[in-house]
Amino acid sequence: MTAVKDYLDERHDKLDFYTKAIINAHGQNHPEVFDVRQQYIKLCLDARDSKNLDENFEKLRQTTHGYAIPNDVCPVFEATYHMLEKADSINASA
């Protein structure tokens, strides 16, 4: 739990900005990013409260179709999904 919390804490400012940015840039064509943003906020709150994050990551995997990156998105979208996927991987190995 500490490893994934540390990972999320270290990237909080970037992920917070990126999850907002992809809504503005891609929300019209990829409405799932609105859910990704909400799930990211809940993930941060649950990590802060030292809750089990398995369900959070399960929802993110479902919403993102396994962190699949659409063909028509920008590098920020890709980076967002890569960081969330890495956090998921850290959580799974803990």
Side-chain angles (χ1 to χ4, degrees):
M1 173 59 166
T2 302
V4 71
K5 184 180 181 311
D6 290 346
Y7 180 87
L8 290 168
D9 285 348
E10 290 167 8
R11 288 153 185 83
H12 176 74
D13 290 343
K14 186 177 279 191
L15 273 168
D16 185 59
F17 179 77
Y18 281 12
T19 56
K20 290 176 190 173
I22 64 174
I23 285 172
N24 293 329
H26 300 286
Q28 187 171 5
N29 294 329
H30 298 283
E32 70 276 8
V33 297
F34 292 96
D35 291 334
V36 170
R37 171 70 182 162
Q38 292 306 313
Q39 291 168 9
Y40 169 69
I41 292 168
K42 183 168 180 354
L43 175 68
C44 290
L45 293 172
D46 288 350
R48 186 187 67 199
D49 293 339
S50 299
K51 293 183 179 177
N52 182 299
L53 303 177
D54 293 346
E55 187 175 313
N56 300 78
F57 285 113
E58 176 60 31
K59 286 181 181 178
L60 275 168
R61 282 191 301 277
Q62 290 174 1
T63 301
T64 63
H65 305 286
Y67 305 103
I69 298 168
N71 293 332
D72 62 341
V73 297
C74 68
V76 170
F77 191 116
E78 287 186 46
T80 303
Y81 275 27
H82 286 308
M83 283 187 278
L84 291 171
E85 184 175 28
K86 176 69 174 172
D88 190 350
S89 175
I90 293 168
N91 184 66
S93 65

